[in-house]
Amino acid sequence: MKLNYSLEKEIREIKGDETLVSFIGVVVSIDPSTYMLILDDGTGAISVSSDTLYSLEKVLRVIGTPYKEGGQIIVESEVIQDFSDFNLELFRKVQQLQKEVYQ
Amino acid sequence: MKKRMPSSRLSLAEIHKGYFVKPEDDFATNYVITPDGLKVYRLKGVATVMAEPRLSEDNTYGSVLLDDGTQSIVALVFRENTKLLKSVKKGDLIQFMAKLSEWQGKKQLNLEALSIVPPNMLTLHRAESVLTTIRQKKHFKIAQKIYEEEKNIRKAMDRAKKEGINPDLIDAIEELNYLLEYAEENRIFDSDTALELRVMEAIEKLDEGDGVVLDLILYELKDDHLADDIDNAVRELLSRGDLYEPRVNYFKKAI
């Protein structure tokens, strides 16, 4: 069996045909009737299905499966982690370093 | 008394790229040797628990799937260590320490310790892993130069020591050469990764500009691999973004 793992992407890079992606973003909108959140990471915004209604402006890390519906990409969340107090700027710098070293 | 081998902080992707070695001496610790010659006896990592941990009915063993954003791996616990899994649940970010093992050609972890950690530990772990890799690559390059110039292992090890390079790296180069040769002869290396590499090579060779139709890739590799395995490798490369599909059933390298 081939194991899947989450590909770290910026929201603008998510195409909708990936098996599993992960990204970190801020909750900018909540729909209590459908349990849909909209997360924004500064590069784009994306809809995320969730079991929990997180509060606005909460920083979350989402691992999930994206799919396309009506021209829109939605991420079916597998795991949502509360990343409040996370130093995103430093993380991005380390990610950049990783790209340089591993590619 | 058996020497306790230290842990190395590394990403799961680097572990999957390496070769699992089970020493002939039963009392020696198993390890993974990375393509840069680092022998990892114990792995320290930070990863997300991707599914609820599973424990056997008699609580003698259990397993959990971990994902660190570079790869995923199954981690196992046995006997008294099963209690480790009782403290975690799906979605937790954990730091772990584990020995390495292999089952049916797939690398696995045998968990020895774990704890739930705050999100910033992910950054710290990544930074330290990158640092380990940078150092290792630098030393490996120097060791390779010494190895090639000296030809004789003993002399190469002595010179490495004088130049401040761990002489074990010379030994690691010898071991890697043997493993590579052995792997090519017996195809013991990670079959998924190897097949993906062959698919990429085939596409590069066959692509005349518009991508390569799947049937042609299957034909190219038919002597060595099953069609289903090739198809799976193509889908995996596609999902990772290494390939794209410019038109239905045609595949091109993304870079």
Side-chain angles (χ1 to χ4, degrees):
Chain A
M1 184 186 74
K2 179 85 190 173
L3 295 174
N4 290 320
Y5 65 97
S6 57
L7 287 170
E8 281 181 357
K9 294 206 163 190
E10 290 181 342
I11 288 175
R12 68 173 165 197
E13 295 172 329
I14 299 173
K15 289 184 239 164
D17 57 2
E18 299 90 343
T19 310
L20 208 57
V21 295
S22 77
F23 57 90
I24 299 164
V26 179
V27 180
V28 293
S29 172
I30 307 158
D31 184 342
S33 60
T34 59
Y35 273 68
M36 278 288 192
L37 313 171
I38 295 178
L39 265 76
D40 190 317
D41 71 347
T43 72
I46 200 160
S47 299
V48 175
S49 67
S50 169
D51 293 335
T52 310
L53 286 176
Y54 291 91
S55 53
L56 282 172
E57 295 185 16
K58 194 99 178 154
V59 180
L60 301 176
R61 180 175 187 233
V62 176
I63 302 176
T65 307
Y67 63 95
K68 289 176 191 165
E69 191 177 274
Q72 193 193 6
I73 298 172
I74 298 170
V75 176
E76 176 84 40
S77 68
E78 187 65 36
V79 162
I80 296 186
Q81 295 168 316
D82 185 345
F83 263 40
S84 304
D85 304 324
F86 185 64
N87 189 335
L88 190 56
E89 199 183 335
L90 186 61
F91 184 68
R92 295 257 189 263
K93 281 182 189 169
V94 173
Q95 274 185 319
Q96 187 54 40
L97 200 60
Q98 273 185 299
K99 278 182 192 165
E100 288 165 19
V101 171
Y102 296 124
Q103 284 178 359
Chain B
M1 201 175 108
K2 193 175 165 184
K3 188 183 168 193
R4 189 185 192 281
M5 304 310 283
S7 63
S8 307
R9 204 183 265 285
L10 221 57
S11 69
L12 291 177
E14 291 297 293
I15 293 297
H16 281 293
K17 279 185 216 162
Y19 300 87
F20 177 75
V21 179
K22 189 175 171 58
E24 284 176 13
D25 177 358
D26 286 344
F27 294 102
T29 312
N30 299 337
Y31 57 90
V32 164
I33 183 165
T34 70
D36 299 322
L38 179 67
K39 289 182 183 179
V40 184
Y41 296 92
R42 276 192 166 78
L43 178 69
K44 192 190 269 189
V46 171
T48 297
V49 175
M50 290 301 294
E52 290 300 343
R54 284 195 233 168
L55 282 171
S56 64
E57 278 181 20
D58 58 2
N59 274 355
T60 54
Y61 66 92
S63 67
V64 66
L65 179 63
L66 301 176
D67 181 323
D68 76 346
T70 69
Q71 257 295 354
S72 62
I73 199 161
V74 172
L76 305 166
V77 286
F78 297 98
R79 293 175 289 277
E80 69 273 22
N81 279 343
T82 51
K83 65 177 184 289
L84 295 172
L85 292 192
K86 290 176 183 166
S87 59
V88 296
K89 61 181 188 308
K90 181 181 173 184
D92 284 343
L93 188 70
I94 61 161
Q95 174 161 259
F96 61 86
M97 200 182 287
K99 282 190 188 169
L100 295 139
S101 62
E102 196 174 55
W103 172 250
Q104 295 183 336
K106 294 281 178 195
K107 293 184 190 76
Q108 296 181 329
L109 301 177
N110 288 348
L111 289 172
E112 294 182 310
L114 68 78
S115 59
I116 296 171
V117 290
N120 282 317
M121 273 301 288
L122 186 64
T123 311
L124 181 66
H125 165 68
R126 296 279 179 94
E128 286 194 0
S129 301
V130 170
L131 197 60
T132 304
T133 305
I134 292 172
R135 279 192 193 131
Q136 188 65 25
K137 278 182 190 292
K138 188 181 161 192
H139 286 194
F140 187 68
K141 208 172 165 185
I142 299 169
Q144 257 184 328
K145 189 169 173 275
I146 295 171
Y147 177 80
E148 279 158 22
E149 284 174 2
E150 293 294 340
K151 311 277 191 235
N152 176 296
I153 300 296
R154 178 57 54 199
K155 282 184 184 172
M157 286 176 97
D158 288 345
R159 190 176 140 196
K161 200 173 178 181
K162 277 181 200 156
E163 293 186 22
I165 300 295
N166 185 349
D168 287 347
L169 260 179
I170 302 292
D171 197 39
I173 292 170
E174 271 279 293
E175 195 171 347
L176 273 174
N177 287 342
Y178 168 77
L179 286 166
L180 277 168
E181 199 180 322
Y182 187 65
E184 274 170 21
E185 280 174 12
N186 297 285
R187 301 179 188 282
I188 59 161
F189 54 101
D190 184 335
S191 56
D192 289 331
T193 311
L195 178 53
E196 285 164 15
L197 200 65
R198 291 209 63 197
V199 168
M200 293 294 270
E201 285 168 356
I203 290 174
E204 190 164 8
K205 180 181 149 193
L206 300 168
D207 192 0
E208 292 178 347
D210 298 327
V212 183
V213 69
L214 181 62
D215 286 346
L216 198 54
I217 303 169
L218 295 175
Y219 184 77
E220 178 72 14
L221 303 174
K222 70 175 172 31
D223 293 338
D224 299 319
H225 301 282
L226 297 171
D228 279 354
D229 292 343
I230 301 167
D231 191 56
N232 284 340
V234 169
R235 301 294 152 200
E236 179 64 25
L237 289 163
L238 196 64
S239 73
R240 281 215 306 265
D242 293 334
L243 293 180
Y244 68 98
E245 205 172 352
R247 57 194 165 113
V248 177
N249 241 12
Y250 277 72
F251 301 94
K252 265 184 94 66
K253 282 178 76 172
I255 303 163

